[in-house]
Structure formats: structure tokens, C-alpha cells
Amino acid sequence: MTVLVDLVVVLGMLVVVPLGLRLVAAPETALACRLWPLFAVPGAVSLWLPRGTPATALAACYAAGTLLLAVAAPRRLMRTRCLAPREVALLTALVSPAVAATALVAERLGHPLFGFDLAILDLTVPHFHFAGFAAALVAGLVRGATGNRRLSAFAALSVPLGTLLVLAGYFVDDWTELAGAVVLTAGMWAVAWLTWRDVRAGVRDRLTGALLAVSAAVLVATMLLALSWALGEATGWPHPSLAWMAATHGVANALGFALCSLLAWRRLARAPGQPPAPAPAPTPTPVHAVHPTPAVHRAPTTPEPQEAPE
């Protein structure tokens, strides 16, 4: 299981996070985006060394990069003064890698942080790269592409809330973690439905459409697995083992959801003939959210009231 988990984490460090950061139009993340390889490569190397000082030092280097991202979140909030759903999702994405890096440093040191077993710390690292960073970022992108809809607002808020509840469950009990899994699953299924119905349906490029379709379909199965595991942990009922979850839920979420989804959004951002949506007009509390997303072509709908800054 360790080798498989480490490969997934390497994908998150070297591909998913930098790919996601390029989709974020925020001056606060510009420095972290430029310097990310200097932090991510040592972090990836640390995974393949025995636990000890060298591995911990390299993991700490990666943690420094994630701290740079985490600091960007309050700086962005101070600048925008906005807690609209899309912004909440983006802020969650920015701080999630720091949670993963904290677990990584402790695990590489061989220290049971907060009393957690090293195997749990090991699995926390990919969880907050994919269920934290990638899921929240995609939820924000979907919110930006689908406009002022209640379902997209629900997705952009429930993914961060579910992630927070799962984290709280580590310290409280399995029932809190189950509640987090339920909320997170609901949010991810909303992301999947909106991706399939609204985003994919308006895409002309077949490869981009296929990537979006895969990312949406995968979430149906992977989040069912997450629910079954959390329910089993809380109730004692039979449920998949951690090794089985890593090989199924973990790999499918990393490759089928996160990677396919971010590659699709990257292609949308570069698609010729699909200009990005116009930036909002300057106001005393401007909203600079996820990178302007190419307009999705769909049938006209009745305009809904504009979302006020939350």
C-alpha cells in the first residue's frame, strides 16, 4: 500500500497542485506558482527515503511551499473581502496542501502527531491533496462556469465544509467523520452532475468533453466507497480495508477525477474561439475568484439574480 500511496502523492505534488495553481488568477499565489518545483521535488524525493532526518528535512522543504500557499488565503481574503461560495472553495484549496504537508513531515520523522498512527498520517497526505485541494478547486471552477445557481453554490460550500468535518472527525470521533463524508459526498456528486449536465454539454472539443465525462462518472463510484468506509468505521459494520480504499477510491480519485478534471479545465482555458468570461466590474469589495473560465455554451435560461458578496 505504501508504494501506491506514495505514487499518488507524487502525482499530487508534481502535477495536480501546479496544474491547479495555473487555473487560479490571484496575485497572492503567483510566487508560489513560480517556485513550486523547488518545494515539490524535495517533497517527492522524501517519500522514497527511509524515515529519519534527511527525509524529514526534504518534507519540511515541501511544507514551506505549502505554507506559502496557505498564507495566500488570508491575504486574498483581506484583498477581496468576499466569502461568496466560489471564494470559499478557492480559499479551502489554498490551505489544504499545508494540512497534507504537516502530516507528511510528522510521518517522515516517525512521530505520531496528535497520537495518530503513522499509517493514518501517511493516508492524510494524499487525502488533502485530492479531497482537499483538487476537489475544492474544481468545485470553485464549476461554480464560476455555471453561474448563479443554488446547486453550484451548494457544491462550492459543501466540499469545503465536508473536508473540514472529516478533519474534525480525526480529533472528535468516527461519527463526525461520517458526517463529513456525507456532506463531502453530496458536494462532490453535485459537482459531478453540474460537470456532466452543464459544463460538458457545452464543450465542442471531444477530448475535453471526454475528460469532463470521466471526471464526473468516477465521482459516483469513488464517493460511494468513501461513504461505505466511513459508515463502517462509525458503526462497526463490514467495510473496505484501508489498503483496498487506497487501491480503488484513492487511485480513481487521483487519476479519474482530479487529473482528468484539471486537464479538462486547462484545455477549456486555452480553447480557441471560447473567450473567457468578463471579469466583474471593480467595486469597493471586488470579487476576484477562480481564473476566468471560458464561457460554456448552453441553451438560454431565465436570468437569475446576481449573487451578492457573502
Side-chain angles (χ1 to χ4, degrees):
M1 182 179 76
T2 301
V3 172
L4 182 61
V5 171
D6 289 347
L7 288 172
V8 169
V9 173
V10 168
L11 176 70
M13 289 177 171
L14 298 181
V15 179
V16 170
V17 173
L19 189 60
L21 289 178
R22 293 191 188 101
L23 295 170
V24 178
E28 296 84 3
T29 62
L31 179 61
C33 190
R34 289 197 302 270
L35 299 180
W36 190 255
L38 300 179
F39 302 118
V41 171
V45 172
S46 76
L47 297 167
W48 306 100
L49 298 179
R51 291 190 181 105
T53 302
T56 304
L58 292 174
C61 181
Y62 180 67
T66 64
L67 181 61
L68 196 60
L69 273 187
V71 170
R75 289 175 56 212
R76 179 179 178 85
L77 181 58
M78 290 175 62
R79 177 171 64 84
T80 63
R81 300 178 186 178
C82 177
L83 284 175
R86 187 166 57 170
E87 280 294 305
V88 172
L90 176 57
L91 296 176
T92 302
L94 293 179
V95 301
S96 290
V99 179
T102 301
L104 175 65
V105 172
E107 191 275 333
R108 293 289 75 200
L109 183 61
H111 173 64
L113 184 66
F114 300 121
F116 291 116
D117 184 84
L118 296 183
I120 297 298
L121 293 175
D122 193 30
L123 292 172
T124 300
V125 182
H127 179 81
F128 279 91
H129 277 93
F130 295 97
F133 176 83
L137 179 60
V138 171
L141 290 168
V142 169
R143 171 62 173 172
T146 57
N148 187 26
R149 298 188 178 187
R150 288 189 179 91
L151 186 59
S152 65
F154 170 78
L157 291 175
S158 58
V159 170
L161 177 60
T163 302
L164 180 61
L165 284 173
V166 169
L167 178 60
Y170 287 8
F171 301 94
V172 181
D173 56 28
D174 290 334
W175 288 99
T176 304
E177 190 169 354
L178 173 59
V182 170
V183 174
L184 183 58
T185 298
M188 294 308 293
W189 280 349
V191 168
W193 174 246
L194 289 166
T195 298
W196 181 275
R197 185 190 66 181
D198 295 345
V199 182
R200 181 196 63 87
V203 171
R204 299 169 183 154
D205 179 69
R206 289 186 178 180
L207 177 56
T208 304
L211 289 170
L212 290 170
V214 169
S215 71
V218 161
L219 284 177
V220 177
T222 58
M223 297 314 297
L224 274 177
L225 287 170
L227 274 180
S228 67
W229 185 85
L231 182 63
E233 286 288 297
T235 62
W237 295 349
H239 58 284
S241 66
L242 284 176
W244 201 81
M245 286 292 291
T248 55
H249 168 85
V251 172
N253 259 353
L255 298 177
F257 166 65
L259 184 60
C260 286
S261 186
L262 291 178
L263 286 174
W265 284 101
R266 185 64 175 169
R267 289 176 64 84
L268 282 174
R270 293 177 169 181
Q274 293 187 353
T283 64
T285 57
V287 179
H288 299 282
V290 180
H291 182 76
T293 308
V296 175
H297 299 277
R298 56 180 180 270
T301 58
T302 303
E304 294 180 300
Q306 291 297 314
E307 176 183 64
E310 299 174 19

